[in-house]
């Protein structure tokens, strides 16, 4: 799964580079060539998170592709999105609206990918599942008005107790992104307000009441441990 995650992220990065209007032409062309080569070699993933990154990559590619290329890519996008939907159908239950039997890191990438797919295809089922799974994440992650990422020390298994530490900034940033995506579609201010609450995790509105954001560099610390900031 770790290699699949890295490869999925790489495809997503190539798509973002190819779609970046300000990137040098030769860099954009090289990124697009690498991405298309991967697609032509029928790259496939089993990890839901890797599939999520691949879906986002395909959506970017479709958005900026020529009309004749778009027709070839849409069936592939539907195929990958249906795989993610099947993960949800297989693993979800009345009290667990998720794609796997555990929550780990950057969970929000999965509903975000479905939102991307919905925006590209207008398939309502994709938005419906994205809405249900995002609501589940919101219920799990926001505690007393504070955003609390799933802790790396044990994660959160369906039949177990969630871990509150160590918290990763990647998880927070992915939640911010999906909340912004959902707000842009629905114009529901609840998503917008939650997005700001999640962002405040970086500014000290977190379990340790400490700044994660580094004003001197514009970066951030590695995470939050039970004993403080890493």
């Amino acid at each position: 799964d770790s290699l699949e995650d890295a490869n999925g992220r790489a495809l997503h990065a190539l798509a973002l580079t190819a779609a970046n209007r300000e990137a040098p032409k030769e860099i954009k062309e090289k990124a697009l060539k690498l991405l298309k080569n991967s697609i032509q070699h029928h790259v496939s993933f089993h990890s839901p998170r890797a599939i999520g990154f691949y879906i986002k990559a395909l959506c970017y590619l479709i958005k900026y592709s020529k009309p004749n290329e778009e027709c070839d890519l849409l069936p592939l996008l539907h195929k990958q999105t249906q795989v993610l939907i099947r993960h949800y159908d297989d693993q979800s239950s009345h009290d667990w609206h998720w794609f796997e039997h555990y929550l780990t890191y950057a969970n929000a990438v999965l509903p975000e990918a479905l939102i991307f797919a919905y925006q590209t295809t207008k398939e309502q089922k994709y938005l419906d599942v994205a809405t249900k799974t995002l609501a589940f994440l919101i219920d799990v992650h926001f505690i007393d008005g504070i955003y609390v990422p799933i802790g790396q020390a044990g994660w959160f298994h369906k039949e177990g107790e969630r871990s509150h530490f160590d918290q990763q900034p990647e998880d927070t940033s992915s939640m911010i992104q999906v909340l912004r995506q959902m707000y842009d579609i629905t114009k529901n201010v609840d998503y917008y307000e939650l997005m700001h609450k999640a962002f405040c995790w970086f500014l000290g509105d977190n379990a340790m009441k400490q700044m994660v954001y580094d004003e001197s560099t514009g970066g951030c610390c590695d995470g939050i441990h039970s004993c403080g900031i890493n």
Side-chain angles (χ1 to χ4, degrees):
D1 280 358
S2 59
L3 288 177
E4 285 202 356
D5 183 282
N7 288 328
R9 290 172 187 268
L11 293 176
H12 181 232
L14 289 172
L16 284 174
T17 303
N20 188 337
R21 292 194 175 105
E22 296 184 5
K25 183 179 178 180
E26 61 272 20
I27 297 296
K28 292 173 61 175
E29 290 177 347
K30 187 172 184 179
L32 184 61
K33 182 179 179 180
L34 288 169
L35 181 57
K36 287 183 175 179
N37 283 344
S38 297
I39 292 172
Q40 290 168 359
H41 283 84
H42 306 290
V43 62
S44 62
F45 299 110
H46 299 286
S47 164
R49 196 166 282 95
I51 294 169
F53 280 114
Y54 190 26
I55 288 170
K56 289 173 64 177
L58 289 170
C59 289
Y60 277 114
L61 188 56
I62 289 170
K63 184 176 181 179
Y64 294 100
S65 65
K66 298 175 183 177
N68 61 317
E69 294 175 333
E70 181 180 321
C71 294
D72 296 331
L73 292 169
L74 276 172
L76 178 57
L77 174 60
H78 278 295
K79 180 181 178 181
Q80 295 299 318
T81 310
Q82 286 299 328
V83 173
L84 198 55
I85 294 293
R86 282 199 296 274
H87 275 283
Y88 173 76
D89 290 339
D90 291 343
Q91 297 294 335
S92 64
S93 60
H94 72 282
D95 60 349
W96 187 267
H97 294 284
W98 198 240
F99 307 87
E100 301 173 293
H101 63 274
Y102 45 75
L103 291 168
T104 55
Y105 62 95
N107 300 292
V109 168
L110 304 186
E112 185 193 15
L114 291 181
I115 295 171
F116 268 81
Y118 166 75
Q119 290 175 308
T120 304
T121 67
K122 304 306 178 186
E123 181 67 44
Q124 186 63 39
K125 175 78 181 281
Y126 301 161
L127 182 60
D128 291 343
V129 175
T131 302
K132 290 178 183 177
T133 52
L134 178 55
F136 175 67
L137 285 185
I138 289 171
D139 186 56
V140 169
H141 284 78
F142 286 90
I143 301 175
D144 297 327
I146 295 176
Y147 184 73
V148 184
I150 302 296
Q152 183 180 357
W155 304 122
F156 182 16
H157 289 260
K158 187 174 182 179
E159 304 299 335
E161 297 293 326
R162 67 167 287 170
S163 174
H164 287 81
F165 300 100
D166 304 321
Q167 299 174 16
Q168 300 179 346
E170 179 187 14
D171 188 272
T172 308
S173 61
S174 67
M175 177 61 84
I176 292 168
Q177 289 176 200
V178 72
L179 288 169
R180 182 54 192 254
Q181 284 286 103
M182 191 62 90
Y183 170 72
D184 287 343
I185 290 175
T186 66
K187 301 306 178 186
N188 185 332
V189 294
D190 290 343
Y191 293 120
Y192 195 77
E193 290 173 357
L194 287 172
M195 178 187 71
H196 279 279
K197 286 183 178 180
F199 181 79
C200 286
W201 179 90
F202 289 100
L203 305 179
D205 197 5
N206 51 57
M208 301 305 293
K209 304 298 181 185
Q210 294 188 40
M211 285 277 287
V212 181
Y213 170 64
D214 186 342
E215 294 178 289
S216 64
T217 65
C220 70
C221 297
D222 189 50
I224 298 179
H225 299 312
S226 59
C227 56
I229 300 296
N230 182 357

